[in-house]
PDB file of all heavy atoms in Angstrom:
ATOM      1  N   LEU A 238      86.298 118.809 110.977  1.00 98.00           N
ATOM      2  CA  LEU A 238      87.416 117.875 110.820  1.00 98.00           C
ATOM      3  C   LEU A 238      86.864 116.453 110.965  1.00 98.00           C
ATOM      4  O   LEU A 238      86.148 116.174 111.934  1.00 98.00           O
ATOM      5  CB  LEU A 238      88.468 118.098 111.912  1.00 98.00           C
ATOM      6  CG  LEU A 238      88.908 119.546 112.180  1.00 98.00           C
ATOM      7  CD1 LEU A 238      89.955 119.575 113.288  1.00 98.00           C
ATOM      8  CD2 LEU A 238      89.459 120.180 110.914  1.00 98.00           C
ATOM      9  N   SER A 258      95.867 112.452 115.371  1.00 97.00           N
ATOM     10  CA  SER A 258      96.918 113.448 115.625  1.00 97.00           C
ATOM     11  C   SER A 258      96.931 114.531 114.550  1.00 97.00           C
ATOM     12  O   SER A 258      97.246 115.694 114.841  1.00 97.00           O
ATOM     13  CB  SER A 258      98.292 112.785 115.710  1.00 97.00           C
ATOM     14  OG  SER A 258      98.394 112.084 116.922  1.00 97.00           O
ATOM     15  N   ALA A 259      96.609 114.157 113.315  1.00 97.00           N
ATOM     16  CA  ALA A 259      96.558 115.177 112.251  1.00 97.00           C
ATOM     17  C   ALA A 259      95.441 116.185 112.533  1.00 97.00           C
ATOM     18  O   ALA A 259      95.590 117.388 112.289  1.00 97.00           O
ATOM     19  CB  ALA A 259      96.361 114.516 110.889  1.00 97.00           C
ATOM     20  N   MET A 260      94.323 115.704 113.095  1.00 97.00           N
ATOM     21  CA  MET A 260      93.223 116.622 113.451  1.00 97.00           C
ATOM     22  C   MET A 260      93.665 117.577 114.568  1.00 97.00           C
ATOM     23  O   MET A 260      93.373 118.772 114.532  1.00 97.00           O
ATOM     24  CB  MET A 260      91.987 115.836 113.895  1.00 97.00           C
ATOM     25  CG  MET A 260      91.234 115.211 112.752  1.00 97.00           C
ATOM     26  SD  MET A 260      89.602 114.655 113.305  1.00 97.00           S
ATOM     27  CE  MET A 260      89.942 112.974 113.612  1.00 97.00           C
ATOM     28  N   ILE A 261      94.387 117.034 115.542  1.00 97.00           N
ATOM     29  CA  ILE A 261      94.890 117.884 116.631  1.00 97.00           C
ATOM     30  C   ILE A 261      95.849 118.925 116.042  1.00 97.00           C
ATOM     31  O   ILE A 261      95.795 120.110 116.374  1.00 97.00           O
ATOM     32  CB  ILE A 261      95.607 117.039 117.709  1.00 97.00           C
ATOM     33  CG1 ILE A 261      94.628 116.052 118.346  1.00 97.00           C
ATOM     34  CG2 ILE A 261      96.231 117.946 118.775  1.00 97.00           C
ATOM     35  CD1 ILE A 261      95.270 115.017 119.271  1.00 97.00           C
ATOM     36  N   GLY A 262      96.715 118.466 115.134  1.00 97.00           N
ATOM     37  CA  GLY A 262      97.673 119.367 114.491  1.00 97.00           C
ATOM     38  C   GLY A 262      96.966 120.476 113.726  1.00 97.00           C
ATOM     39  O   GLY A 262      97.395 121.633 113.753  1.00 97.00           O
ATOM     40  N   TYR A 263      95.844 120.126 113.081  1.00 98.00           N
ATOM     41  CA  TYR A 263      95.091 121.137 112.321  1.00 98.00           C
ATOM     42  C   TYR A 263      94.589 122.237 113.266  1.00 98.00           C
ATOM     43  O   TYR A 263      94.715 123.427 112.967  1.00 98.00           O
ATOM     44  CB  TYR A 263      93.913 120.473 111.595  1.00 98.00           C
ATOM     45  CG  TYR A 263      93.152 121.442 110.716  1.00 98.00           C
ATOM     46  CD1 TYR A 263      93.380 121.492 109.337  1.00 98.00           C
ATOM     47  CD2 TYR A 263      92.217 122.327 111.251  1.00 98.00           C
ATOM     48  CE1 TYR A 263      92.708 122.390 108.531  1.00 98.00           C
ATOM     49  CE2 TYR A 263      91.545 123.233 110.462  1.00 98.00           C
ATOM     50  CZ  TYR A 263      91.795 123.259 109.104  1.00 98.00           C
ATOM     51  OH  TYR A 263      91.125 124.169 108.309  1.00 98.00           O
ATOM     52  N   VAL A 264      94.044 121.837 114.407  1.00 98.00           N
ATOM     53  CA  VAL A 264      93.527 122.839 115.359  1.00 98.00           C
ATOM     54  C   VAL A 264      94.675 123.724 115.848  1.00 98.00           C
ATOM     55  O   VAL A 264      94.558 124.956 115.908  1.00 98.00           O
ATOM     56  CB  VAL A 264      92.806 122.158 116.555  1.00 98.00           C
ATOM     57  CG1 VAL A 264      92.371 123.191 117.585  1.00 98.00           C
ATOM     58  CG2 VAL A 264      91.599 121.372 116.065  1.00 98.00           C
ATOM     59  N   GLY A 265      95.814 123.103 116.154  1.00 97.00           N
ATOM     60  CA  GLY A 265      96.970 123.863 116.637  1.00 97.00           C
ATOM     61  C   GLY A 265      97.493 124.842 115.599  1.00 97.00           C
ATOM     62  O   GLY A 265      97.856 125.973 115.926  1.00 97.00           O
ATOM     63  N   ASN A 266      97.525 124.410 114.351  1.00 97.00           N
ATOM     64  CA  ASN A 266      98.095 125.265 113.298  1.00 97.00           C
ATOM     65  C   ASN A 266      97.143 126.356 112.828  1.00 97.00           C
ATOM     66  O   ASN A 266      97.560 127.442 112.476  1.00 97.00           O
ATOM     67  CB  ASN A 266      98.492 124.424 112.070  1.00 97.00           C
ATOM     68  CG  ASN A 266      99.651 123.512 112.397  1.00 97.00           C
ATOM     69  OD1 ASN A 266     100.444 123.813 113.290  1.00 97.00           O
ATOM     70  ND2 ASN A 266      99.748 122.385 111.701  1.00 97.00           N
ATOM     71  N   HIS A 267      95.833 126.047 112.787  1.00 97.00           N
ATOM     72  CA  HIS A 267      94.876 127.001 112.205  1.00 97.00           C
ATOM     73  C   HIS A 267      94.082 127.784 113.241  1.00 97.00           C
ATOM     74  O   HIS A 267      93.457 128.786 112.904  1.00 97.00           O
ATOM     75  CB  HIS A 267      93.902 126.285 111.263  1.00 97.00           C
ATOM     76  CG  HIS A 267      94.568 125.711 110.049  1.00 97.00           C
ATOM     77  ND1 HIS A 267      95.261 124.522 110.079  1.00 97.00           N
ATOM     78  CD2 HIS A 267      94.669 126.166 108.777  1.00 97.00           C
ATOM     79  CE1 HIS A 267      95.748 124.269 108.878  1.00 97.00           C
ATOM     80  NE2 HIS A 267      95.413 125.252 108.068  1.00 97.00           N
ATOM     81  N   ARG A 268      94.045 127.292 114.485  1.00 97.00           N
ATOM     82  CA  ARG A 268      93.283 127.933 115.566  1.00 97.00           C
ATOM     83  C   ARG A 268      91.910 128.438 115.101  1.00 97.00           C
ATOM     84  O   ARG A 268      91.597 129.631 115.236  1.00 97.00           O
ATOM     85  CB  ARG A 268      94.057 129.104 116.161  1.00 97.00           C
ATOM     86  CG  ARG A 268      95.322 128.738 116.832  1.00 97.00           C
ATOM     87  CD  ARG A 268      95.034 127.860 118.058  1.00 97.00           C
ATOM     88  NE  ARG A 268      96.280 127.466 118.669  1.00 97.00           N
ATOM     89  CZ  ARG A 268      96.833 128.095 119.704  1.00 97.00           C
ATOM     90  NH1 ARG A 268      96.220 129.081 120.287  1.00 97.00           N
ATOM     91  NH2 ARG A 268      97.976 127.680 120.178  1.00 97.00           N
ATOM     92  N   PRO A 269      91.080 127.527 114.547  1.00 98.00           N
ATOM     93  CA  PRO A 269      89.743 127.977 114.144  1.00 98.00           C
ATOM     94  C   PRO A 269      88.970 128.456 115.384  1.00 98.00           C
ATOM     95  O   PRO A 269      89.213 127.972 116.491  1.00 98.00           O
ATOM     96  CB  PRO A 269      89.089 126.725 113.559  1.00 98.00           C
ATOM     97  CG  PRO A 269      89.889 125.576 114.095  1.00 98.00           C
ATOM     98  CD  PRO A 269      91.261 126.083 114.395  1.00 98.00           C
ATOM     99  N   VAL A 272      85.135 124.629 116.093  1.00 97.00           N
ATOM    100  CA  VAL A 272      85.504 123.419 115.369  1.00 97.00           C
ATOM    101  C   VAL A 272      84.610 122.255 115.791  1.00 97.00           C
ATOM    102  O   VAL A 272      84.117 122.233 116.919  1.00 97.00           O
ATOM    103  CB  VAL A 272      87.006 123.111 115.590  1.00 97.00           C
ATOM    104  CG1 VAL A 272      87.276 122.639 116.995  1.00 97.00           C
ATOM    105  CG2 VAL A 272      87.542 122.104 114.605  1.00 97.00           C
ATOM    106  N   MET A 274      84.891 118.097 115.749  1.00 97.00           N
ATOM    107  CA  MET A 274      85.746 116.943 115.456  1.00 97.00           C
ATOM    108  C   MET A 274      84.843 115.730 115.292  1.00 97.00           C
ATOM    109  O   MET A 274      84.251 115.256 116.263  1.00 97.00           O
ATOM    110  CB  MET A 274      86.731 116.721 116.597  1.00 97.00           C
ATOM    111  CG  MET A 274      87.761 117.826 116.681  1.00 97.00           C
ATOM    112  SD  MET A 274      89.035 117.442 117.871  1.00 97.00           S
ATOM    113  CE  MET A 274      90.471 117.942 116.953  1.00 97.00           C
ATOM    114  N   VAL A 284      91.689 118.109 123.257  1.00 97.00           N
ATOM    115  CA  VAL A 284      92.175 119.247 122.466  1.00 97.00           C
ATOM    116  C   VAL A 284      91.688 120.565 123.088  1.00 97.00           C
ATOM    117  O   VAL A 284      92.396 121.571 123.059  1.00 97.00           O
ATOM    118  CB  VAL A 284      91.754 119.112 120.983  1.00 97.00           C
ATOM    119  CG1 VAL A 284      92.475 120.139 120.133  1.00 97.00           C
ATOM    120  CG2 VAL A 284      92.080 117.723 120.460  1.00 97.00           C
ATOM    121  N   GLN A 287      94.056 121.768 125.542  1.00 96.00           N
ATOM    122  CA  GLN A 287      95.271 122.326 124.939  1.00 96.00           C
ATOM    123  C   GLN A 287      95.015 123.706 124.332  1.00 96.00           C
ATOM    124  O   GLN A 287      95.884 124.565 124.349  1.00 96.00           O
ATOM    125  CB  GLN A 287      95.731 121.360 123.847  1.00 96.00           C
ATOM    126  CG  GLN A 287      97.212 121.228 123.696  1.00 96.00           C
ATOM    127  CD  GLN A 287      97.544 120.152 122.645  1.00 96.00           C
ATOM    128  OE1 GLN A 287      96.779 119.218 122.420  1.00 96.00           O
ATOM    129  NE2 GLN A 287      98.681 120.307 121.996  1.00 96.00           N
ATOM    130  N   TYR A 288      93.815 123.908 123.780  1.00 97.00           N
ATOM    131  CA  TYR A 288      93.506 125.168 123.088  1.00 97.00           C
ATOM    132  C   TYR A 288      92.215 125.759 123.651  1.00 97.00           C
ATOM    133  O   TYR A 288      91.166 125.680 123.017  1.00 97.00           O
ATOM    134  CB  TYR A 288      93.381 124.931 121.575  1.00 97.00           C
ATOM    135  CG  TYR A 288      94.628 124.325 120.978  1.00 97.00           C
ATOM    136  CD1 TYR A 288      94.649 122.999 120.549  1.00 97.00           C
ATOM    137  CD2 TYR A 288      95.805 125.066 120.898  1.00 97.00           C
ATOM    138  CE1 TYR A 288      95.812 122.430 120.044  1.00 97.00           C
ATOM    139  CE2 TYR A 288      96.965 124.503 120.398  1.00 97.00           C
ATOM    140  CZ  TYR A 288      96.964 123.191 119.972  1.00 97.00           C
ATOM    141  OH  TYR A 288      98.115 122.631 119.485  1.00 97.00           O
ATOM    142  N   ASP A 290      91.088 128.609 123.762  1.00 96.00           N
ATOM    143  CA  ASP A 290      90.490 129.685 122.979  1.00 96.00           C
ATOM    144  C   ASP A 290      89.598 129.156 121.850  1.00 96.00           C
ATOM    145  O   ASP A 290      88.857 129.921 121.223  1.00 96.00           O
ATOM    146  CB  ASP A 290      91.604 130.569 122.370  1.00 96.00           C
ATOM    147  CG  ASP A 290      92.665 129.751 121.646  1.00 96.00           C
ATOM    148  OD1 ASP A 290      93.037 128.665 122.171  1.00 96.00           O
ATOM    149  OD2 ASP A 290      93.099 130.165 120.556  1.00 96.00           O
ATOM    150  N   VAL A 291      89.641 127.856 121.582  1.00 97.00           N
ATOM    151  CA  VAL A 291      88.838 127.282 120.497  1.00 97.00           C
ATOM    152  C   VAL A 291      87.532 126.730 121.073  1.00 97.00           C
ATOM    153  O   VAL A 291      87.543 126.054 122.111  1.00 97.00           O
ATOM    154  CB  VAL A 291      89.620 126.148 119.779  1.00 97.00           C
ATOM    155  CG1 VAL A 291      88.770 125.504 118.685  1.00 97.00           C
ATOM    156  CG2 VAL A 291      90.937 126.672 119.215  1.00 97.00           C
ATOM    157  N   PHE A 293      84.485 124.162 120.908  1.00 96.00           N
ATOM    158  CA  PHE A 293      84.235 122.844 120.317  1.00 96.00           C
ATOM    159  C   PHE A 293      82.743 122.524 120.293  1.00 96.00           C
ATOM    160  O   PHE A 293      82.095 122.519 121.331  1.00 96.00           O
ATOM    161  CB  PHE A 293      84.977 121.752 121.094  1.00 96.00           C
ATOM    162  CG  PHE A 293      86.464 121.806 120.868  1.00 96.00           C
ATOM    163  CD1 PHE A 293      87.261 122.684 121.587  1.00 96.00           C
ATOM    164  CD2 PHE A 293      87.057 121.016 119.899  1.00 96.00           C
ATOM    165  CE1 PHE A 293      88.625 122.772 121.357  1.00 96.00           C
ATOM    166  CE2 PHE A 293      88.420 121.096 119.651  1.00 96.00           C
ATOM    167  CZ  PHE A 293      89.205 121.974 120.377  1.00 96.00           C
TER     168      PHE A 293
END
Side-chain angles (χ1 to χ4, degrees):
L238 313 180
S258 287
M260 284 194 263
I261 298 171
Y263 184 99
V264 176
N266 292 334
H267 295 79
R268 296 296 178 96
V272 71
M274 291 188 136
V284 191
Q287 216 176 333
Y288 303 108
D290 50 320
V291 178
F293 288 83

